[in-house]
Amino acid sequence: MELGFSKWVLAFALSSWLLFSRAHSVEGLRGNSKVRGVNLGGWLVIEGWIKPSLFDAIPNGDMLDGTEIRFKSVSSHKYLSAENGGGMGVTVDKDVAFSWETFKLWRVSASEFQLRTSQGYFLTCYGEGCSVSATANSPSEGEIFYIERNNNQVHIKLITGAYLQVTVGNLMTADYPGKPGWDDNAATFEMMIVANDLHGDYQLANGYGHHHAKEVLKKHRNSFITMDDFKFLYRHGINTVRIPVGWWIAFDPDPPAPFIGGCLKALDNAFSWAQAYNIKCIIDLHAAPGSQNGAEHSASRDGTTGWPTSPEYVSKTLDVIDFLASRYATHPALLGIELLNEPSASLVPMEVLVPYYKQGYDIVRKHSTTAYVIICQRIGNADPIELYHANISSHNLVVDLHYYSLFDAYFVNMSTVDNIDFVHKSRGAQLQALNSANGPLVFVGEWVNEWDVATASQTDYQEFGRAQLEVYNAASFGWSYWTLKNDRKHWDFEWNIRNNYLQLGNSTTRNIYDKLVFLGLISAWIFLLCIL
């Protein structure tokens, strides 16, 4: 009896070793034990740098929401200025331009704009003969200005038709007589575009207008990601997609202006395609109401970050999480929900973020006991260990880190060897420490096979990619590449694979390994049963 029992114990131990000798397992995944993922960036949340052609047909496309501009009088050669960033009258008296002389556009139409100062005031002028001031806290009809362009020269007028001009006392008043020409006159200004960096959902929709934007986005959503892409990912061993969505998806099919409906249907399609190819989905809330970081991918109108200072925005975001969790909690393809992408370290304090994460976690748990809840590290000067100390939960919680060897002067003069050493020593050490911490799993949710090495060869890229895969494979939850498709080829996962710049390893070999594990388990049981 004792001998028979010991053989059963031996059989169980051997089979357990075969099953669990591999790395940490993420519940619900096929094949690999952890997430091997790709982001579907630029699809349901627009980022213009991923597909710039989406913006090509917008009239006055260099004057989108958030564009920073300056005006210089052609007659006095002085800059328009809102001293102290607003709160008083506007003057045209500065020889050099800084922040007071820089204004952000709020687009009303292709030729109508509101002008916002560095401190958030709007330029205003009511009625013919008025003087322009920077005193409006919110824009309305009196804050709308028509801008007529002649290359880089402009005229500015009110909705009444009165043109603005510079007075002898360096004020700006709406009383230029008649229609100005393009000569050296007091109503003509040189317009300089300082920055035109925001090309997100807000800029696209408000730039085209609702009807045209609806056509553009419908075509994009139906063609940018298709079922064939999921087939490609399956064939190359990818088991997860991270899908960025914006908060307006919860209001489909008629979200608040200027956002365009249709994202929800596309997300439903993605879940169906994923299920067909046994791929799992992570829903990533990439854009929160008011913006959590001021970037275009958070759908910020003008680069400001309003989410952390508005309890209403935070509450609305939790409602979005509730909507997504309730809709997809029981779907076989759901792996997890990411509560917020890349909150700003400088603008989103932990005392706002942690309660949001805790409430978001509880909301997901209300609908699912097994879905992973993913919380993203703050971008900027922040240590991910802060989220381990937050004590949010211990069950199926994941911390998302984003690793780029870009966007920081630290990487500018690094060689191929320097970059690879940094990945192994710095990031490898961080992942090892977080893996060992008593807390959430670790996820490298965004990384890319691109860097600041201008003369890199294909071999250099292959070695850099290999180093990243080796290190990020150690993350206890796994990794996800940014992004599947991109006009910049080295950011494009599909291009990297097809051109052998990124070498994931042979998926056939992995499948054979999985079958061998299973056959080994069966063989062990048969062998031990035969000798009982």
Side-chain angles (χ1 to χ4, degrees):
M1 180 68 178
E2 290 181 1
L3 180 60
F5 178 77
S6 66
K7 290 177 180 178
W8 281 103
V9 170
L10 179 60
F12 176 78
L14 181 57
S15 61
S16 298
W17 177 84
L18 286 165
L19 283 173
F20 300 111
S21 59
R22 302 174 71 186
H24 182 279
S25 178
V26 173
E27 297 171 18
L29 289 179
R30 66 168 172 86
N32 298 306
S33 61
K34 294 183 289 188
V35 168
R36 290 167 62 92
V38 172
N39 286 273
L40 305 186
W43 183 34
L44 304 185
V45 174
I46 297 300
E47 298 185 49
W49 66 280
I50 292 178
K51 190 178 179 182
S53 61
L54 287 173
F55 292 78
D56 284 351
I58 297 178
N60 274 343
D62 57 347
M63 297 179 70
L64 301 173
D65 286 280
T67 299
E68 297 181 13
I69 61 172
R70 291 170 180 161
F71 297 104
K72 186 177 184 180
S73 169
V74 300
S75 58
S76 69
H77 305 292
K78 304 288 186 179
Y79 286 96
L80 177 68
S81 177
E83 193 160 352
N84 296 321
M88 60 186 70
V90 167
T91 57
V92 188
D93 60 353
K94 296 295 188 294
D95 294 316
V96 181
F98 295 105
S99 63
W100 294 351
E101 293 71 48
T102 302
F103 303 89
K104 292 181 178 180
L105 294 177
W106 278 30
R107 185 175 172 120
V108 178
S109 72
S111 58
E112 299 171 281
F113 302 89
Q114 293 154 339
L115 302 170
R116 198 179 194 194
T117 72
S118 59
Q119 292 300 310
Y121 292 95
F122 290 88
L123 299 195
T124 183
C125 190
Y126 279 85
E128 189 168 344
C130 65
S131 293
V132 179
S133 66
T135 54
N137 291 311
S138 59
S140 59
E141 187 175 271
E143 288 71 53
I144 296 175
F145 298 90
Y146 287 82
I147 297 181
E148 300 174 347
R149 298 184 70 175
N150 180 33
N151 296 320
N152 66 331
Q153 290 190 331
V154 298
H155 298 144
I156 308 171
K157 66 178 181 178
L158 306 182
I159 59 174
T160 62
Y163 284 91
L164 304 183
Q165 68 167 336
V166 182
T167 68
V168 175
N170 296 326
L171 299 178
M172 199 168 185
T173 58
D175 55 3
Y176 186 85
K179 182 177 175 63
W182 297 107
D183 54 354
D184 186 0
N185 62 70
T188 301
F189 298 84
E190 179 186 357
M191 184 179 73
M192 290 155 280
I193 294 177
V194 180
N196 183 24
D197 299 330
L198 295 176
H199 293 79
D201 280 271
Y202 204 108
Q203 287 72 30
L204 187 148
N206 212 33
Y208 279 116
H210 183 85
H211 180 72
H212 194 178
K214 188 174 182 179
E215 294 177 355
V216 170
L217 285 175
K218 181 179 180 180
K219 180 179 178 181
H220 173 67
R221 292 165 181 166
N222 288 341
S223 60
F224 192 63
I225 301 294
T226 68
M227 190 171 187
D228 285 343
D229 295 308
F230 283 76
K231 180 180 180 181
F232 171 84
L233 294 174
Y234 174 81
R235 288 175 52 216
H236 289 88
I238 296 301
N239 60 27
T240 306
V241 287
R242 179 176 180 256
I243 310 175
V245 300
W247 62 269
W248 54 93
I249 195 171
F251 299 87
D252 232 80
D254 297 306
F259 299 103
I260 306 297
C263 288
L264 192 59
K265 180 180 178 181
L267 185 58
D268 285 343
N269 288 340
F271 267 77
S272 296
W273 300 334
Q275 185 178 5
Y277 284 100
N278 200 15
I279 291 173
K280 295 295 183 180
C281 297
I282 293 170
I283 305 174
D284 157 41
L285 186 60
H286 223 64
S291 174
Q292 72 276 16
N293 56 31
E296 67 180 30
H297 63 243
S298 67
S300 176
R301 180 170 192 173
D302 66 1
T304 55
T305 302
W307 183 83
T309 57
S310 170
E312 181 181 353
Y313 284 154
V314 174
S315 177
K316 184 183 289 187
T317 311
L318 291 168
D319 290 341
V320 174
I321 296 300
D322 188 65
F323 170 82
L324 294 169
S326 64
R327 185 178 183 90
Y328 296 103
T330 60
H331 198 291
L334 180 70
L335 182 65
I337 294 177
E338 185 153 357
L339 300 179
L340 189 64
N341 176 69
E342 295 188 345
S344 167
S346 60
L347 298 171
V348 181
M350 288 291 283
E351 53 265 30
V352 173
L353 187 62
V354 170
Y356 167 74
Y357 278 162
K358 288 183 176 180
Q359 291 176 77
Y361 178 91
D362 290 341
I363 287 171
V364 176
R365 284 287 163 263
K366 180 178 68 174
H367 299 286
S368 172
T369 59
T370 57
Y372 287 91
V373 180
I374 304 170
I375 57 177
C376 190
Q377 175 193 9
R378 296 190 297 168
I379 56 169
N381 187 20
D383 189 332
I385 198 65
E386 67 187 11
L387 294 177
Y388 286 75
H389 295 158
N391 193 30
I392 293 168
S393 178
S394 60
H395 175 61
N396 281 7
L397 185 70
V398 180
V399 169
D400 178 8
L401 316 181
H402 294 173
Y403 282 152
Y404 291 101
S405 297
L406 297 154
F407 314 127
D408 192 309
Y410 180 83
F411 297 103
V412 170
N413 294 315
M414 292 176 77
S415 66
T416 297
V417 173
D418 292 336
N419 273 279
I420 291 173
D421 282 348
F422 179 83
V423 169
H424 279 293
K425 295 176 181 178
S426 179
R427 289 175 176 160
Q430 184 178 61
L431 288 175
Q432 183 179 6
L434 295 177
N435 280 338
S436 302
N438 184 22
L441 299 174
V442 188
F443 180 38
V444 183
E446 292 185 20
W447 65 279
V448 68
N449 199 30
E450 183 61 296
W451 49 7
D452 280 323
V453 182
T455 59
S457 65
Q458 180 176 6
T459 300
D460 292 333
Y461 274 101
Q462 289 171 338
E463 292 178 355
F464 182 52
R466 187 178 300 114
Q468 291 191 90
L469 285 167
E470 180 181 335
V471 171
Y472 305 159
N473 272 330
S476 54
F477 190 72
W479 53 260
S480 182
Y481 188 91
W482 185 274
T483 182
L484 176 60
K485 297 182 179 181
N486 198 307
D487 268 26
R488 302 183 188 186
K489 59 187 182 182
H490 290 293
W491 291 76
D492 185 304
F493 177 81
E494 184 176 357
W495 182 90
N496 274 274
I497 296 299
R498 294 191 189 281
N499 291 277
N500 201 31
Y501 273 69
L502 193 62
Q503 301 165 320
L504 296 183
N506 192 316
S507 59
T508 302
T509 302
R510 290 193 300 274
N511 290 336
I512 291 173
Y513 179 85
D514 292 334
K515 291 176 181 177
L516 288 174
V517 169
F518 178 74
L519 291 174
L521 185 151
I522 297 299
S523 298
W525 276 95
I526 292 174
F527 171 76
L528 289 169
L529 286 172
C530 288
I531 63 173
L532 287 175

PDB file of all heavy atoms in Angstrom, residues 405-414 452:
ATOM      1  N   SER A 405      13.906  53.655 -25.587  1.00  0.00           N
ATOM      2  CA  SER A 405      15.262  54.211 -25.596  1.00  0.00           C
ATOM      3  C   SER A 405      15.261  55.474 -26.460  1.00  0.00           C
ATOM      4  O   SER A 405      16.101  55.664 -27.336  1.00  0.00           O
ATOM      5  CB  SER A 405      16.248  53.172 -26.133  1.00  0.00           C
ATOM      6  OG  SER A 405      16.278  52.046 -25.289  1.00  0.00           O
ATOM      7  N   LEU A 406      14.288  56.315 -26.177  1.00  0.00           N
ATOM      8  CA  LEU A 406      14.013  57.533 -26.941  1.00  0.00           C
ATOM      9  C   LEU A 406      13.420  58.568 -25.982  1.00  0.00           C
ATOM     10  O   LEU A 406      13.201  58.278 -24.811  1.00  0.00           O
ATOM     11  CB  LEU A 406      13.004  57.254 -28.062  1.00  0.00           C
ATOM     12  CG  LEU A 406      13.403  56.269 -29.159  1.00  0.00           C
ATOM     13  CD1 LEU A 406      12.169  55.623 -29.775  1.00  0.00           C
ATOM     14  CD2 LEU A 406      14.194  56.983 -30.245  1.00  0.00           C
ATOM     15  N   PHE A 407      13.178  59.773 -26.523  1.00  0.00           N
ATOM     16  CA  PHE A 407      12.457  60.821 -25.803  1.00  0.00           C
ATOM     17  C   PHE A 407      13.210  61.361 -24.588  1.00  0.00           C
ATOM     18  O   PHE A 407      12.636  62.035 -23.755  1.00  0.00           O
ATOM     19  CB  PHE A 407      11.071  60.337 -25.333  1.00  0.00           C
ATOM     20  CG  PHE A 407      10.283  59.605 -26.377  1.00  0.00           C
ATOM     21  CD1 PHE A 407       9.762  58.347 -26.132  1.00  0.00           C
ATOM     22  CD2 PHE A 407      10.075  60.165 -27.634  1.00  0.00           C
ATOM     23  CE1 PHE A 407       9.040  57.669 -27.107  1.00  0.00           C
ATOM     24  CE2 PHE A 407       9.351  59.489 -28.597  1.00  0.00           C
ATOM     25  CZ  PHE A 407       8.835  58.246 -28.340  1.00  0.00           C
ATOM     26  N   ASP A 408      14.488  61.064 -24.504  1.00  0.00           N
ATOM     27  CA  ASP A 408      15.270  61.515 -23.358  1.00  0.00           C
ATOM     28  C   ASP A 408      16.697  61.773 -23.836  1.00  0.00           C
ATOM     29  O   ASP A 408      17.280  60.941 -24.551  1.00  0.00           O
ATOM     30  CB  ASP A 408      15.264  60.440 -22.258  1.00  0.00           C
ATOM     31  CG  ASP A 408      15.806  60.959 -20.933  1.00  0.00           C
ATOM     32  OD1 ASP A 408      16.907  61.544 -20.937  1.00  0.00           O
ATOM     33  OD2 ASP A 408      15.146  60.755 -19.896  1.00  0.00           O
ATOM     34  N   ALA A 409      17.254  62.903 -23.422  1.00  0.00           N
ATOM     35  CA  ALA A 409      18.615  63.253 -23.847  1.00  0.00           C
ATOM     36  C   ALA A 409      19.631  62.198 -23.414  1.00  0.00           C
ATOM     37  O   ALA A 409      20.706  62.087 -24.016  1.00  0.00           O
ATOM     38  CB  ALA A 409      18.996  64.619 -23.269  1.00  0.00           C
ATOM     39  N   TYR A 410      19.294  61.415 -22.426  1.00  0.00           N
ATOM     40  CA  TYR A 410      20.202  60.384 -21.926  1.00  0.00           C
ATOM     41  C   TYR A 410      20.612  59.406 -23.028  1.00  0.00           C
ATOM     42  O   TYR A 410      21.736  58.894 -23.039  1.00  0.00           O
ATOM     43  CB  TYR A 410      19.509  59.627 -20.787  1.00  0.00           C
ATOM     44  CG  TYR A 410      20.340  58.514 -20.179  1.00  0.00           C
ATOM     45  CD1 TYR A 410      21.294  58.800 -19.198  1.00  0.00           C
ATOM     46  CD2 TYR A 410      20.172  57.191 -20.581  1.00  0.00           C
ATOM     47  CE1 TYR A 410      22.051  57.780 -18.639  1.00  0.00           C
ATOM     48  CE2 TYR A 410      20.925  56.168 -20.023  1.00  0.00           C
ATOM     49  CZ  TYR A 410      21.867  56.475 -19.053  1.00  0.00           C
ATOM     50  OH  TYR A 410      22.613  55.462 -18.507  1.00  0.00           O
ATOM     51  N   PHE A 411      19.702  59.148 -23.978  1.00  0.00           N
ATOM     52  CA  PHE A 411      19.952  58.139 -25.002  1.00  0.00           C
ATOM     53  C   PHE A 411      20.597  58.701 -26.276  1.00  0.00           C
ATOM     54  O   PHE A 411      20.980  57.929 -27.153  1.00  0.00           O
ATOM     55  CB  PHE A 411      18.642  57.445 -25.385  1.00  0.00           C
ATOM     56  CG  PHE A 411      17.998  56.686 -24.256  1.00  0.00           C
ATOM     57  CD1 PHE A 411      16.903  57.215 -23.593  1.00  0.00           C
ATOM     58  CD2 PHE A 411      18.495  55.456 -23.853  1.00  0.00           C
ATOM     59  CE1 PHE A 411      16.309  56.528 -22.546  1.00  0.00           C
ATOM     60  CE2 PHE A 411      17.913  54.756 -22.813  1.00  0.00           C
ATOM     61  CZ  PHE A 411      16.815  55.292 -22.159  1.00  0.00           C
ATOM     62  N   VAL A 412      20.705  60.013 -26.391  1.00  0.00           N
ATOM     63  CA  VAL A 412      21.054  60.627 -27.676  1.00  0.00           C
ATOM     64  C   VAL A 412      22.417  60.184 -28.190  1.00  0.00           C
ATOM     65  O   VAL A 412      22.571  59.862 -29.369  1.00  0.00           O
ATOM     66  CB  VAL A 412      20.982  62.161 -27.569  1.00  0.00           C
ATOM     67  CG1 VAL A 412      21.566  62.808 -28.821  1.00  0.00           C
ATOM     68  CG2 VAL A 412      19.538  62.597 -27.376  1.00  0.00           C
ATOM     69  N   ASN A 413      23.423  60.156 -27.374  1.00  0.00           N
ATOM     70  CA  ASN A 413      24.778  59.834 -27.841  1.00  0.00           C
ATOM     71  C   ASN A 413      25.201  58.404 -27.520  1.00  0.00           C
ATOM     72  O   ASN A 413      26.385  58.075 -27.563  1.00  0.00           O
ATOM     73  CB  ASN A 413      25.777  60.815 -27.215  1.00  0.00           C
ATOM     74  CG  ASN A 413      25.555  62.234 -27.703  1.00  0.00           C
ATOM     75  OD1 ASN A 413      25.361  62.466 -28.890  1.00  0.00           O
ATOM     76  ND2 ASN A 413      25.569  63.188 -26.776  1.00  0.00           N
ATOM     77  N   MET A 414      24.246  57.548 -27.236  1.00  0.00           N
ATOM     78  CA  MET A 414      24.582  56.172 -26.903  1.00  0.00           C
ATOM     79  C   MET A 414      24.796  55.345 -28.165  1.00  0.00           C
ATOM     80  O   MET A 414      24.076  55.488 -29.151  1.00  0.00           O
ATOM     81  CB  MET A 414      23.484  55.549 -26.045  1.00  0.00           C
ATOM     82  CG  MET A 414      23.376  56.164 -24.664  1.00  0.00           C
ATOM     83  SD  MET A 414      22.000  55.494 -23.682  1.00  0.00           S
ATOM     84  CE  MET A 414      22.664  53.920 -23.189  1.00  0.00           C
ATOM     85  N   ASP A 452      17.969  56.016 -30.838  1.00  0.00           N
ATOM     86  CA  ASP A 452      18.596  57.217 -31.388  1.00  0.00           C
ATOM     87  C   ASP A 452      19.964  56.931 -32.013  1.00  0.00           C
ATOM     88  O   ASP A 452      20.808  57.818 -32.095  1.00  0.00           O
ATOM     89  CB  ASP A 452      18.750  58.277 -30.290  1.00  0.00           C
ATOM     90  CG  ASP A 452      17.454  59.028 -30.042  1.00  0.00           C
ATOM     91  OD1 ASP A 452      16.735  59.290 -31.018  1.00  0.00           O
ATOM     92  OD2 ASP A 452      17.163  59.353 -28.879  1.00  0.00           O
TER      93      ASP A 452
END
